[in-house]
Amino acid sequence: MLDWLWQPFAEFSFMRRALLGGVALALSAGPLGVFLLLRRMSLMGDAMAHGILPGTALAFYLFGLNLLALLCGGLLAGLGMALLANGISRATGLREDASLAALYPLALALGVLLLSVAGRQVDLLHLLFGSALAVDQRTLVIMLALSGLTLIVLKLIYAMLVLDSLDPRFLRSVSRWGACAQPVFLCLVVLNLLVGFQAIGALMVLGLLLLPAAAARLCSVRLRVLLLLAALLGALSVWLGLLLSFYALLPSGPCIVLIAGLLFLVCLVLGSHGGLLRGRRLSMPL
């Protein structure tokens, strides 16, 4: 009776590639999302997701479908968006979240215009909303490699990242490498957003980054448990989202994010730490 849960993945290679790539992305994006919430950088993640688009569009215009050029263009644009917002905030006194809210619609509009100038060689809907079912062997290898790299780097900078999130001044007083935690973390976020474009899409990838993390936060206050729960909830979202997409003949990216949103709502109601039925307040500033 439960054959429908795994039959599409057993029968079709494109479904297996989509599942492996999506789960790999979820395993690395979930922990990153937890740290984005912990550091109160959710809006910055949104801005970087939109800020990547002009960089990838310009790289496509100049170099065509060159994967390395697209990655470099998106990385520079995403980090540039974060630095620009920070610079505006420091120069004008405007809050950083207000700067980001003003910049990311401009970045999205600029990216769409650049893609229009580049011609009709790129399916704009595919770029914005993604198609996990179109993940090829090369993209799968890149997604698996990046997921492994992200987890390794997170393990290496874990202690610094936790201290930088809670007390950055103390970290800089005890370690000369403390200032590296923020830029390394931002690079990991941008790289995962870039790779997520293929499977989830430019407008959808942020959902896989933040929704499992927010759902996990409603179920625990222990950081290591949060990281594991976010990764597992993201992987479950990918699996169920692909099944919904396959059987209902719907776009895969929105289906994955929809399932992640439903899991968040379940945790919002039943979660043991902040769930509506539990009535407990959050004890960590996430």
Side-chain angles (χ1 to χ4, degrees):
M1 292 179 63
L2 299 178
D3 289 350
W4 61 275
L5 290 173
W6 58 78
Q7 187 174 2
F9 306 109
E11 290 187 3
F12 302 104
S13 59
F14 68 89
M15 288 292 291
R16 289 194 293 274
R17 288 195 299 268
L19 180 63
L20 286 174
V23 168
L25 179 63
L27 293 180
S28 59
L32 291 174
V34 170
F35 278 110
L36 280 175
L37 294 180
L38 179 63
R39 299 164 70 85
R40 300 179 184 271
M41 293 173 60
S42 304
L43 187 57
M44 181 172 287
D46 192 11
M48 287 190 294
H50 290 79
I52 285 169
L53 190 57
T56 53
L58 183 60
F60 171 76
Y61 180 72
L62 296 175
F63 303 102
L65 289 173
N66 184 305
L67 187 58
L68 179 61
L70 293 176
L71 287 174
C72 291
L75 179 62
L76 293 174
L79 293 178
M81 170 70 71
L83 293 175
L84 180 60
N86 183 261
I88 292 175
S89 178
R90 289 177 180 273
T92 64
L94 191 67
R95 288 183 55 178
E96 192 168 3
D97 58 346
S99 301
L100 290 168
L103 288 175
Y104 79 75
L106 296 177
L108 179 61
L110 179 59
V112 173
L113 288 177
L114 286 172
L115 287 173
S116 300
V117 173
R120 298 183 178 179
Q121 302 176 42
V122 174
D123 183 352
L124 185 58
L125 288 179
H126 170 76
L127 181 64
L128 295 178
F129 299 104
S131 177
L133 304 183
V135 173
D136 56 19
Q137 192 67 31
R138 183 184 182 189
T139 304
L140 176 60
V141 170
I142 293 174
M143 295 177 78
L144 293 174
L146 181 62
S147 176
L149 176 64
T150 299
L151 294 176
I152 290 172
V153 174
L154 273 180
K155 174 64 176 178
L156 293 175
I157 67 171
Y158 176 79
M160 288 194 300
L161 198 55
V162 172
L163 281 176
D164 190 51
S165 301
L166 300 177
D167 194 343
R169 291 184 179 179
F170 174 74
L171 175 62
R172 284 157 179 75
S173 69
V174 298
S175 174
R176 61 179 179 177
W177 302 106
C180 298
Q182 172 87 342
V184 172
F185 173 71
L186 290 179
C187 285
L188 292 178
V189 172
V190 173
L191 285 174
N192 277 263
L193 289 173
L194 280 169
V195 175
F197 271 26
Q198 174 67 25
I200 309 297
L203 298 183
M204 297 286 104
V205 65
L206 198 68
L208 192 60
L209 190 71
L210 293 178
L211 283 172
R217 178 59 194 89
L218 293 166
C219 299
S220 178
V221 293
R222 297 177 58 188
L223 183 56
R224 293 184 183 273
V225 175
L226 284 176
L227 298 176
L228 179 61
L229 274 178
L232 293 178
L233 288 173
L236 181 61
S237 300
V238 170
W239 177 40
L240 296 180
L242 288 175
L243 288 175
L244 176 61
S245 172
F246 180 82
Y247 288 116
L249 301 178
L250 295 171
S252 55
C255 285
I256 291 172
V257 176
L258 177 63
I259 295 297
L262 291 176
L263 291 176
F264 170 74
L265 292 178
V266 171
C267 294
L268 180 63
V269 175
L270 302 177
S272 58
H273 291 79
L276 297 177
L277 295 184
R278 300 281 181 165
R280 298 181 182 179
R281 294 184 179 181
L282 298 178
S283 59
M284 290 177 62
L286 288 181

